[in-house]
Amino acid sequence: MQSLIKNAPVKTNDTPKFVYRGILLDTSRNFYHVDSILRTLDAMSYNKLNVLHWHIVDAFSWPVESKVHPELTKKGAYSTDILYPYEEIKKIINYAKSRTIRVMPEFNMPGNTFIVSDAHPEIMSCLNKQPNWDKFGPEPPSGQLNIADPRGSFAFDIITEYSRLFVDLGFHMGGGSLNLDWWKEGPVIELYVCDHPGESIESLVKGWFNQTVGKIQEMGKVPFAREDSMLNFGYEAKNTTIVEAWVSEDLVSKVVDKGYRAIATSWNRYYLDCGHGSWLSNFEGSSWCGPYKGWQKIYSYNPRAKITDPAKQKLVLGGEVALWSAQSDETTVDRNLWPRAAAFAEIMWTGSIDPNTNSTKDIGKVVQRLTNHRFRMAARGNMPEPLQPLWCIRHPESCKHPAAL
């Protein structure tokens, strides 16, 4: 039996508004087995997302095999059966590649590196200050690399090893959530500054970032970093560095004003882990980044909205939604990501302007399309959370807020 396609050939002209359309997945706070990561890559491909920003290590654990420093995995992984050997990482990279998805690693340094102290306390500062950890960082356990330590080749070792394992051109060095008080508390840093007139903690930070960026470039990679390291401490990296703007929506424009290319990941729009209450066991309040970010909040954000210069608008390469995993793991990843990440994906591909009206898209007209897409994703094996009661899906005009009409 033959089928006839009328009016063939059919041509389409469909290109994305943003070239970088990503998801950040944190596998340090809680672990995700490979199958759940592959399932996430499948879902990303259904939504034309093209970057998995793999925040693979953090203060909490070191779940990735290291052949250069095997002691990191031996002492830093939660256990021997919840870690990523080289072969599994290569499997994930190849699986993503077959779906036109990049896998960019992040090894956050010099902050949020407490777990390194399990293997190398001699290169660390301000370790797990308790009970008043909040004076030293955004969350426990505290700890930063000693940026004055002469054995500073540790960071170079990490960059060299994992630049070779991960084939993507991007290498994210983190650089966020630094607290200078951590280093002021350390006698090694204080003695170094006293013994080297003209040096300060700020100048040490600048020097450390300069060397780290240089090493990443030496490995043939494009450095990525959070805007904390680019906009604070008076540090000015080469504009070949791509900057992730997460602290506020306004920082996207500040980043491009300095000539950097920017990735928008503002926490008050794109952090998908928020709104589940605090993970601190003796605190009844909300999470620091609450409330929960509904799909409407995500869909209505245009990272280029406050940038009027067309040349600077082009410097905004795109954005990424972030799933930090203090309260997420492989059992919740589907519903935490989807279909909110699908709403994000549509904006990243089509933009926020309706070409028929030349005005911002009406979110009231999106829900039916997004719900239909959710059903398709569920049929393919994902478990996205529902957006509305089924009755509302069948009566779309009856479930709108009066104040918005």
Side-chain angles (χ1 to χ4, degrees):
M1 180 178 180
Q2 294 182 336
S3 298
L4 178 64
I5 301 177
K6 295 182 178 180
N7 302 317
V10 177
K11 295 182 179 179
T12 61
N13 184 12
D14 187 23
T15 56
K17 293 292 184 182
F18 295 94
V19 297
Y20 185 109
R21 307 176 303 281
I23 286 178
L24 179 152
L25 183 65
D26 160 30
T27 60
S28 173
R29 288 165 175 81
N30 280 307
F31 187 78
Y32 295 73
H33 283 93
V34 171
D35 287 350
S36 65
I37 296 178
L38 300 184
R39 189 174 70 250
T40 298
L41 290 168
D42 283 336
M44 290 176 66
S45 70
Y46 306 153
N47 290 275
K48 297 182 180 179
L49 295 175
N50 66 345
V51 182
L52 177 64
H53 172 178
W54 193 352
H55 187 91
I56 196 166
V57 301
D58 207 292
F60 302 86
S61 73
W62 193 284
V64 55
E65 179 186 6
S66 174
K67 295 185 183 296
V68 176
H69 289 286
E71 68 278 6
L72 289 173
T73 310
K74 182 179 180 180
K75 296 185 177 182
Y78 284 131
S79 73
T80 56
D81 63 339
I82 50 175
L83 57 86
Y84 303 105
Y86 264 43
E87 290 308 309
E88 289 194 346
I89 292 173
K90 291 176 181 178
K91 178 180 179 179
I92 290 169
I93 292 171
N94 290 331
Y95 194 87
K97 183 179 179 181
S98 69
R99 286 151 181 78
T100 65
I101 298 171
R102 301 165 46 192
V103 179
M104 179 179 67
E106 178 184 351
F107 289 84
N108 190 24
M109 297 181 287
N112 293 350
T113 47
F114 167 81
I115 197 61
V116 174
S117 69
D118 283 1
H120 291 288
E122 73 278 3
I123 64 171
M124 299 298 297
S125 297
C126 203
L127 293 173
N128 195 21
K129 295 290 186 178
Q130 295 287 351
N132 298 318
W133 55 264
D134 57 316
K135 295 181 179 180
F136 300 95
E139 61 187 6
S142 63
Q144 297 186 158
L145 294 177
N146 182 352
I147 55 174
D149 193 281
R151 292 158 291 201
S153 61
F154 173 81
F156 283 15
D157 289 347
I158 297 304
I159 293 166
T160 299
E161 176 177 9
Y162 294 115
S163 289
R164 290 169 176 163
L165 176 60
F166 288 88
V167 296
D168 190 72
L169 286 178
F171 192 98
H172 204 304
M173 67 178 188
S177 302
L178 292 181
N179 188 329
L180 300 191
D181 290 337
W182 286 1
W183 286 310
K184 292 176 183 177
E185 289 283 320
V188 175
I189 301 285
E190 183 179 356
L191 287 173
Y192 184 91
V193 171
C194 289
D195 291 341
H196 294 78
E199 284 278 30
S200 65
I201 292 177
E202 288 78 6
S203 67
L204 287 174
V205 172
K206 293 178 190 178
W208 190 92
F209 279 124
N210 271 323
Q211 292 177 2
T212 303
V213 167
K215 183 62 179 179
I216 293 172
Q217 292 175 322
E218 179 186 313
M219 295 302 298
K221 303 289 186 176
V222 177
F224 281 67
R226 290 190 173 81
E227 91 276 353
D228 313 35
S229 53
M230 299 295 108
L231 302 184
N232 299 336
F233 320 119
Y235 173 64
E236 295 284 346
K238 295 179 180 178
N239 59 14
T240 50
T241 301
I242 296 176
V243 179
E244 179 188 350
W246 71 275
V247 173
S248 75
E249 298 171 35
D250 293 338
L251 283 176
V252 177
S253 59
K254 291 182 180 179
V255 167
V256 299
D257 282 344
K258 287 182 171 290
Y260 295 114
R261 290 169 290 174
I263 305 298
T265 180
S266 177
W267 69 266
N268 66 323
R269 293 283 188 168
Y270 285 167
Y271 275 26
L272 303 186
D273 57 299
C274 307
H276 299 287
S278 175
W279 56 269
L280 299 171
S281 57
N282 63 340
F283 182 62
E284 296 182 6
S286 63
S287 59
W288 74 268
C289 60
Y292 180 89
K293 310 297 184 290
W295 71 266
Q296 299 93 330
K297 182 84 171 177
I298 296 164
Y299 193 90
S300 60
Y301 175 47
N302 175 10
R304 292 173 175 161
K306 296 182 179 181
I307 304 170
T308 57
D309 184 339
K312 291 181 178 179
Q313 286 182 341
K314 292 180 180 179
L315 292 177
V316 183
L317 302 182
E320 63 184 23
V321 288
L323 185 58
W324 301 99
S325 295
Q327 294 173 299
S328 181
D329 63 12
E330 61 190 36
T331 67
T332 62
V333 62
D334 282 9
R335 69 172 180 263
N336 283 341
L337 284 176
W338 313 105
R340 290 184 294 164
F344 161 80
E346 180 174 306
I347 286 296
M348 287 289 104
W349 188 274
T350 66
S352 61
I353 303 300
D354 186 335
N356 297 318
T357 63
N358 202 31
S359 59
T360 302
K361 290 179 179 177
D362 181 358
I363 61 172
K365 296 179 181 179
V366 178
V367 66
Q368 192 72 34
R369 181 169 67 253
L370 194 57
T371 296
N372 290 340
H373 187 57
R374 174 190 173 264
F375 286 138
R376 288 192 293 270
M377 291 186 68
R380 286 176 154 180
N382 294 103
M383 299 183 68
E385 66 179 3
L387 298 176
Q388 290 183 314
L390 184 57
W391 186 90
C392 291
I393 296 168
R394 294 178 175 177
H395 303 83
E397 296 303 317
S398 299
C399 292
K400 295 184 177 181
H401 198 291
L405 296 175

